[in-house]
Amino acid sequence: MPDLPAFTHALFASAHLLAAHPGFWLLFVLVFLVLVEGLMFLPRIDFVVKTAVGAVLGAQALLLFATAAAGGAPSLGQLLGVLHWPLGHVLALAGTSLLTFGLGLAFLRWKAGAAAPRFFFGRFGKEKPPAPRDFMVFKWAMYLGGLPWLMLPAVLVLTPQTTALQALATSLALAWAHLPALLLLTGLTVGLEALQPALARVLPKPAALAVSAVLLPVMVLIILAMQYSLGAQWLGLA
C-alpha cells in the first residue's frame, strides 16, 4: 500500500506531538468535549448544532498542533481564534460536516426505517437510539461519505490564505490522491468507536463506562493529531 509509510510516519509524528505536552492535551480534550458535548442538551437541534460547531472548533484545534510542531507551547486561549475565522471558511467546515451528517442519516433511514433518524432530533436522553448495529452503519456511512472533506480542516489551518472554494478543491484532491491512508484513518476511528458497544457486552457496566470514558478523549486526540500530521506531509509543510 503506497500510503502506508506516510500513514505510519503521521502516526509517529502524532504520538510525538501528544507526548510533548501530555498534561495540556488532557486538559484540552476535556475542555473540547465539554464545549461540544454540552450542546447535546439543546432540544431538537442538538446533533445538528454539535456537528457544525464541532467541525469549526476541531479545525481551530489543529492550530494547537501546529504550535506544538513548531516548538511552541499550545494554549487553550488559541481556541478563541475560532471567533476570527473568515465566514467562508466557517461555512465550508460547517456545511461539509452537516452534509456528511445528512448522508449518514439518509443511509440509516434506508437501512433501519423512517423512525431511526428521529433519535437525532428528539430530546437528549428521551428518544431511543438505533440498534447498535444500525448505529455503526450510520457511522460508516457518515465517515465514508465525509472522505472528500476529511482533510479540509488541515488545509484551512495550514494554508490560511486559501479561499474556501480552493480549500474544498484541495481537500478533494488530497482525498483522491491518498485514499488508502484516509481509509486507514477512518477504519481506526470507527474501530475505536466500535470498541465501546463491544465492551458493554463483555464487561460489567461500570467498567465498560469507565473504559469508554477513556476511549473517547483518546480517539479525539488521535484523529485531530493525525489530520494535522497527514495534512502537513501532503501539503509539503512537514
Side-chain angles (χ1 to χ4, degrees):
M1 184 182 294
D3 270 336
L4 187 56
F7 185 86
T8 305
H9 182 272
L11 199 57
F12 280 109
S14 299
H16 177 75
L17 289 175
L18 293 172
H21 306 278
F24 170 79
W25 295 120
L26 176 60
L27 176 62
F28 155 73
V29 77
L30 291 176
V31 171
F32 180 86
L33 289 173
V34 167
L35 291 174
V36 175
E37 297 297 331
L39 298 170
M40 293 296 295
F41 294 98
L42 294 173
R44 309 295 180 187
I45 59 170
D46 45 0
F47 277 98
V48 173
V49 177
K50 172 187 170 181
T51 298
V53 172
V56 180
L57 199 59
Q60 180 65 25
L62 295 192
L63 281 173
L64 278 64
F65 288 100
T67 299
S75 69
L76 291 178
Q78 287 181 277
L79 290 177
L80 296 177
V82 72
L83 301 175
H84 304 292
W85 276 70
L87 180 59
H89 290 190
V90 171
L91 293 177
L93 288 164
T96 51
S97 294
L98 290 173
L99 176 60
T100 300
F101 180 57
L103 289 172
L105 289 178
F107 202 84
L108 177 64
R109 189 181 192 280
W110 172 78
K111 175 72 170 56
R118 292 175 188 166
F119 165 74
F120 298 94
F121 301 98
R123 291 184 177 274
F124 179 66
K126 301 292 184 181
E127 299 287 338
K128 182 180 179 182
R133 182 172 297 180
D134 291 333
F135 212 106
M136 287 309 300
V137 166
F138 161 76
K139 290 284 189 181
W140 269 111
M142 189 170 66
Y143 286 127
L144 292 176
L147 281 176
W149 326 119
L150 185 57
M151 297 308 296
L152 179 61
V155 173
L156 290 173
V157 166
L158 292 167
T159 57
Q161 72 281 0
T162 190
T163 68
L165 288 178
Q166 289 170 337
L168 287 167
T170 301
S171 177
L172 185 58
L174 289 176
W176 180 256
H178 303 285
L179 185 59
L182 294 187
L183 286 172
L184 282 173
L185 183 57
T186 299
L188 177 64
T189 305
V190 178
L192 286 171
E193 290 201 11
L195 275 177
Q196 298 183 52
L199 289 170
R201 292 193 294 269
V202 298
L203 293 177
K205 189 174 181 179
L209 288 173
V211 176
S212 295
V214 173
L215 277 178
L216 180 58
V218 167
M219 182 183 70
V220 169
L221 286 173
I222 289 176
I223 300 310
L224 290 175
M226 285 293 290
Q227 282 183 321
Y228 171 80
S229 298
L230 287 172
Q233 280 192 70
W234 295 340
L235 293 170
L237 301 171

